[in-house]
Amino acid sequence: MSLSFDVHPDPSPATAEERAAVLAAPGFGRHFTDHMAVATWTVEDGWGDAKVVPYGAESFHPASAVFHYAQEVFEGLKAYRHADDSIWLFRPEANAQRMIDSAERLALPTLPVEDFVASIEALVRQDTAWVPAGGGEDSLYIRPFTIAHEDFLGVRPARTVRYYCIASPSGPYFAGGAEPVDFWVSRHYTRAAPGGTGAAKCGGNYAASLAGQEEAYAHGCPQVLFLDAAQLRYIEEFGGMNCFLVTRDGRLHTPELTGTILPGVTRRSILELARERGLDPVEEHIEVDDMLARVRSGEITEAFACGTAAVVAPVRAFKDGDEEYVVGDGTSGPVTMGFRQTLLDIQYGRVADPHGWMRKVC
Ligand code: COI
C-alpha cells in the first residue's frame, strides 16, 4: 500500500520577511524550508510513519549505524516556479528509480517510486512559498535521503532505517553561474573502483571525492576530474557531476557507464536531446592523455560538466600537474550553452516539453 505523507504544520514557520531575505540571495544548500518529509522502515513492518513535519534537528543515538558504516543513499532534484506561478519537478521518477538502484547496492530498503514522488510533492505543496521566483536560475533544491538508523555496531544491514526529504531554496551551484571553470586532473585520488559503489548515489562516494577536491582547490581549480581507479587511464566523472566533450565535428562524447560512474539524470537528458538533434553522441572509454592532447590540438572544442545542481557548467581548462590545457578559446562554447539553455527552458516552462519530463506539483 502506498504511503500517505500527512502534514503536521510548523506552528512557528519563518515570517514572510525572513523568507524574503533568504530568497533574495539563497546561495546553494545553505537555507532550508519550514518542513521536511520523513518515513521509517523496520525489518518487521516495512515502510510506515510517513509524514511532513517541521524542519529541525533530530536526535540520534551515537551508535546509529549510519555514523559507523556509512549505509546511506541520497538524491538531488529541483522544483521550478513557472511564469504562471505553478510549481514543477524535472523527471522525479528517474531520481526515484536511481534511489532504488542505489539502495539495492547499499543493502538498504527501497522506497517505491510513487512514495518517493509523494514525499516530494507533499513537502513542496506545504512549502510552496519557498520555491524561488523563476526567471533567473533559482529553484528549490530537494534532497531526499535514506539512512541506517539502527543503534547497533555489528556490520550487517540495519534493521531500522529512516527516510528524509529536505528542501533548500538555491541559486546556481557555482558562484560564477555559467562562467567557465577550471578542472584539476586528479592523478592520485580516485572516487570509485570496479565492483564498488561508484554508480550509486551514496555519501561515501562524495566523502571519497573530497581529498581530490581539496587538491583541486590547492591548485586554483574549483573542480576535480577523476580517472578510473584500476588504471588511472580513463576519465570518469567530475566531483559530483558527469563529463561531456564536444569535438570539432560537433559530436558529443561522454565516458560510458561501466559501474563506476553515476548515471546522471541530466547526463541522460542531454544524451536524449543530442540523439534527437542528430548529434550522434558517443558513450565510450576516453583516455585522459588522448583527451588532453586533443584539447591542445583544438580537436576538442568544448567540454562541460553536468548535474542537477550545476545544470551545465562549461570547462575553461584542465590542469594536469604544471600543464594547463585550455579548451577552445577558454570561453563558453555554443554546444554547451545550447544544451544549458534548452534544459533550463524546459525546466522553467519557457518552451514545450515534448518528452513529458516535467511533472506539475501545484
Ligand atoms: C546534484 O547535482 O544534485 C548533486 O547531488 C551533486 C552535488 C554536487 C550537489
Side-chain angles (χ1 to χ4, degrees), residues 28 74 76-77 141 143 173 201 206 239-240 307-310:
F28 179 84
F74 70 96
L77 64 163
Y141 184 77
R143 173 53 64 86
Y173 186 69
K201 200 161 176 70
Y206 292 76
T308 295

Side-chain angles (χ1 to χ4, degrees), residues 153-166:
L153 296 183
V155 181
R156 58 147 172 75
R159 293 181 179 161
T160 315
V161 159
R162 294 272 278 169
Y163 167 78
Y164 294 89
C165 182
I166 59 175

Side-chain angles (χ1 to χ4, degrees), residues 1-342:
M1 207 179 66
S2 297
L3 295 175
S4 164
F5 285 82
D6 301 327
V7 178
H8 303 253
D10 187 342
S12 51
T15 64
E17 291 72 31
E18 286 165 342
R19 198 171 53 238
V22 168
L23 293 179
F28 179 84
R30 294 187 179 283
H31 304 280
F32 299 91
T33 65
D34 291 317
H35 296 87
M36 59 187 182
V38 297
T40 300
W41 177 93
T42 63
V43 75
E44 297 83 17
D45 300 326
W47 288 107
D49 202 19
K51 52 197 174 194
V52 171
V53 295
Y55 177 89
E58 298 264 284
S59 114
F60 288 95
H61 198 292
S64 275
V66 66
F67 297 139
H68 303 275
Y69 309 125
Q71 199 193 2
E72 183 265 2
V73 296
F74 70 96
E75 272 303 324
L77 64 163
K78 289 174 174 172
Y80 307 86
R81 188 181 291 280
H82 287 189
D84 64 357
D85 263 347
S86 57
I87 312 287
W88 299 71
L89 302 171
F90 181 72
R91 309 190 82 174
E93 302 85 1
N95 294 91
Q97 184 56 52
R98 187 172 62 186
M99 192 146 119
I100 288 172
D101 298 341
S102 300
E104 282 170 353
R105 179 62 185 85
L106 272 287
L108 280 163
T110 56
L111 186 67
V113 171
E114 65 269 23
D115 294 330
F116 176 94
V117 174
S119 75
I120 294 169
E121 291 191 338
L123 175 60
V124 172
R125 275 197 199 102
Q126 185 61 23
D127 283 340
T128 311
W130 285 97
V131 182
E137 271 184 44
D138 293 355
S139 61
L140 187 67
Y141 184 77
I142 298 162
R143 173 53 64 86
F145 60 103
T146 301
I147 58 169
H149 190 257
E150 184 182 357
D151 308 332
F152 178 60
L153 296 183
V155 181
R156 58 147 172 75
R159 293 181 179 161
T160 315
V161 159
R162 294 272 278 169
Y163 167 78
Y164 294 89
C165 182
I166 59 175
S168 171
S170 292
Y173 186 69
F174 289 113
E179 283 302 302
V181 170
D182 288 352
F183 287 74
W184 172 253
V185 180
S186 180
R187 297 271 183 178
H188 177 63
Y189 296 110
T190 58
R191 64 173 282 286
T197 57
K201 200 161 176 70
C202 62
N205 291 342
Y206 292 76
S209 78
L210 296 178
Q213 180 66 59
E214 286 296 295
E215 192 185 42
Y217 287 140
H219 290 85
C221 299
Q223 260 298 336
V224 58
L225 170 64
F226 288 109
L227 308 181
D228 76 286
Q231 301 183 68
L232 288 174
R233 183 171 165 195
Y234 300 103
I235 66 168
E236 292 219 317
E237 68 178 77
F238 298 126
M241 285 165 279
N242 292 121
C243 171
F244 276 93
L245 308 171
V246 184
T247 41
R248 215 190 329 244
D249 56 6
R251 283 185 97 180
L252 277 187
H253 303 253
T254 191
E256 67 181 308
L257 302 178
T258 52
T260 52
I261 295 175
L262 187 80
V265 177
T266 311
R267 174 189 184 279
R268 178 170 146 192
S269 306
I270 288 172
L271 285 172
E272 288 170 28
L273 288 170
R275 282 189 202 104
E276 283 166 22
R277 292 173 183 188
L279 288 180
D280 198 12
V282 195
E283 297 177 76
E284 59 185 347
H285 282 311
I286 300 172
E287 285 198 41
V288 62
D289 292 336
D290 183 51
M291 176 193 81
L292 293 173
R294 291 198 291 152
V295 167
R296 189 148 279 170
S297 74
E299 198 194 326
I300 290 174
T301 52
E302 299 178 39
F304 61 87
C306 69
T308 295
V311 194
V312 168
V315 178
R316 188 196 75 86
F318 292 103
K319 291 191 180 168
D320 182 25
D322 294 334
E323 293 289 319
E324 181 176 88
Y325 299 81
V326 177
V327 183
D329 62 3
T331 61
S332 313
V335 178
T336 303
M337 296 313 278
F339 280 112
R340 181 180 166 82
Q341 197 57 48
T342 301

